Amino acid sequence: MSHSWGYEATNGPSKWGASFPIANGDRQSPIDIVPGNASHDPGLKPLKLKYDPSTCLEILNNGHSFQVTFADDTDSSTLTDGPISGTYRLKQFHFHWGATDDRGSEHTVQGAKFPAELHLVHWNTKYASFGEAVNKPDGLAVVGVFLKIGNENAHLQKLIDKFSVITNAKTQTTFVDFNPATLLPGCLDYWTYLGSLTTPPLYESVTWIVLKHQITVSSAQMAKFRTLLFSSNGEAPCCMENNYRPPQPLKGRVVRASFK
Ligand SMILES: NS(=O)(=O)c1ccc(C(=O)N2CCc3cc(O)c(O)cc3[C@@H]2c2ccccc2)cc1
Ligand SMILES: [Zn+2]
């Protein structure tokens, strides 16, 4: 994966279309979710998320975000039901955030931005692997969770405590026995629509499942997110922040709601 793209003025979202023409496609993500325009679909099932902490492997800085990676060789950590059919396995989760607490999320709600957004990335087991699934129209299902400023989040703190070891791009360290379910709000009401990866290669392969309720993060914890670097060891340090793509045209897509 070429690392030429980024989030600076010279290589950021407005420039991605040059190398990745699908950036101007018909099912790009993120989008602005307008609750009043979303149609309640009583046929939508509740999300079924089954996560096994023992599948947690490592935490890494990939130069675009930090992510926690999971063993996905069995159906130990899966997403089923909701808007999808079949079984999708958890591959990784990561975040997007801003330079200040007034922005950072990728999806917005009636124009409202949140300071950060969590993405739990799952792949459809009808395909042999994540790599096979990543560019298929029904290949991925990503659960998006908004973070709002509030009390310190003890579960997020377990991730933050590892940041000093993964400050530089392309660094990683072991990270075991973490349950991603601790990063979910109590209510799993959601909006769902067909979209894409929000980073290059921008494949239009994602069933997006964006939760209505948020989890909290303290402002001090958000400041710790911004101590990570886009840059590698030895390069001029560049703070990892504003690693979000802005909302893209809806192009006639329908957003469904699992709730009234
Ligand atoms: N924000 S998101 O839509 O939830 C999302 C999901 C998956 C991925 C992902 O796994 N990618 C795309 C970006 C990327 C960048 C790298 O430097 C890298 O080493 C891997 C990836 C992977 C990727 C996976 C498969 C093909 C191409 C890239 C990225 C973003
Ligand atoms: Zn993401």
Side-chain angles (χ1 to χ4, degrees), residues 27 41 43-51 75 77-90 120-127 137-143 190-195 205-210 256 258:
R27 56 173 281 191
D41 181 346
L44 283 172
K45 296 177 184 171
L47 292 179
K48 189 172 175 197
L49 293 158
K50 179 194 74 158
Y51 292 146
D75 279 349
S77 291
T78 57
L79 163 63
T80 50
D81 291 349
I84 58 161
S85 51
T87 300
Y88 287 61
R89 281 185 195 163
L90 178 66
L120 295 137
V121 182
H122 309 77
W123 57 274
N124 191 336
T125 57
K126 77 187 261 193
Y127 303 107
D138 60 351
L140 302 182
V142 182
V143 175
Y190 62 88
W191 294 287
T192 185
Y193 74 98
L194 297 181
S205 59
V206 182
T207 297
W208 275 97
I209 299 166
V210 180
R256 293 181 289 159
S258 71

Side-chain angles (χ1 to χ4, degrees), residues 129-185:
S129 67
F130 174 81
E132 285 296 308
V134 74
N135 63 352
K136 307 297 188 294
D138 60 351
L140 302 182
V142 182
V143 175
V145 186
F146 294 120
L147 279 64
K148 67 179 177 186
I149 299 299
N151 294 330
E152 180 174 293
N153 188 314
H155 308 293
L156 284 175
Q157 194 56 41
K158 291 180 185 171
L159 306 172
I160 292 168
D161 287 343
K162 290 283 186 175
F163 284 2
S164 60
V165 187
I166 57 162
T167 302
N168 293 304
K170 309 205 197 41
T171 54
Q172 64 189 60
T173 189
T174 52
F175 189 66
V176 294
D177 286 334
F178 182 80
N179 182 356
T182 62
L183 299 178
L184 299 173

Side-chain angles (χ1 to χ4, degrees), residues 64 92 112 196 208:
H64 314 291
Q92 53 107 326
S196 73
W208 275 97

Side-chain angles (χ1 to χ4, degrees), residues 1 3 64 92 94 96 119 130 134 142 197-201 208:
M1 188 73 198
H3 282 270
H64 314 291
Q92 53 107 326
H94 63 272
H96 304 263
H119 290 157
F130 174 81
V134 74
V142 182
L197 297 182
T198 65
T199 71
W208 275 97

Side-chain angles (χ1 to χ4, degrees), residues 14-255:
S14 64
K15 298 285 191 301
W16 293 351
S19 302
F20 305 93
I22 201 168
N24 303 298
D26 294 340
R27 56 173 281 191
Q28 288 290 294
S29 293
I31 60 169
D32 180 45
I33 295 168
V34 181
N37 295 346
S39 49
H40 171 234
D41 181 346
L44 283 172
K45 296 177 184 171
L47 292 179
K48 189 172 175 197
L49 293 158
K50 179 194 74 158
Y51 292 146
D52 173 355
S54 72
T55 57
C56 190
L57 292 174
E58 63 185 5
I59 187 169
L60 62 101
N61 175 335
N62 62 22
H64 314 291
S65 179
F66 73 93
Q67 81 175 43
V68 175
T69 307
F70 290 79
D72 59 354
D73 51 336
T74 70
D75 279 349
S76 296
S77 291
T78 57
L79 163 63
T80 50
D81 291 349
I84 58 161
S85 51
T87 300
Y88 287 61
R89 281 185 195 163
L90 178 66
K91 174 72 183 164
Q92 53 107 326
F93 68 76
H94 63 272
F95 295 78
H96 304 263
W97 62 93
T100 49
D101 290 350
D102 61 340
R103 57 199 160 122
S105 64
E106 299 209 294
H107 291 89
T108 54
V109 180
Q110 206 138 0
K113 295 177 175 138
F114 293 87
E117 185 173 334
L118 159 64
H119 290 157
L120 295 137
V121 182
H122 309 77
W123 57 274
N124 191 336
T125 57
K126 77 187 261 193
Y127 303 107
S129 67
F130 174 81
E132 285 296 308
V134 74
N135 63 352
K136 307 297 188 294
D138 60 351
L140 302 182
V142 182
V143 175
V145 186
F146 294 120
L147 279 64
K148 67 179 177 186
I149 299 299
N151 294 330
E152 180 174 293
N153 188 314
H155 308 293
L156 284 175
Q157 194 56 41
K158 291 180 185 171
L159 306 172
I160 292 168
D161 287 343
K162 290 283 186 175
F163 284 2
S164 60
V165 187
I166 57 162
T167 302
N168 293 304
K170 309 205 197 41
T171 54
Q172 64 189 60
T173 189
T174 52
F175 189 66
V176 294
D177 286 334
F178 182 80
N179 182 356
T182 62
L183 299 178
L184 299 173
C187 176
L188 297 180
D189 286 347
Y190 62 88
W191 294 287
T192 185
Y193 74 98
L194 297 181
S196 73
L197 297 182
T198 65
T199 71
L202 300 170
Y203 294 144
E204 296 186 331
S205 59
V206 182
T207 297
W208 275 97
I209 299 166
V210 180
L211 301 190
K212 178 182 69 175
H213 292 279
Q214 306 89 39
I215 61 169
T216 63
V217 62
S218 71
S219 195
Q221 287 181 309
M222 280 314 310
K224 291 282 177 61
F225 274 45
R226 304 179 190 115
T227 64
L228 294 171
L229 301 177
F230 282 129
S231 46
S232 302
N233 195 10
E235 293 176 348
C238 182
C239 292
M240 185 176 277
E241 55 192 25
N242 293 327
N243 56 350
Y244 64 93
R245 189 190 194 190
Q248 301 301 306
L250 193 56
K251 298 211 174 164
R253 287 173 284 178
V254 171
V255 178

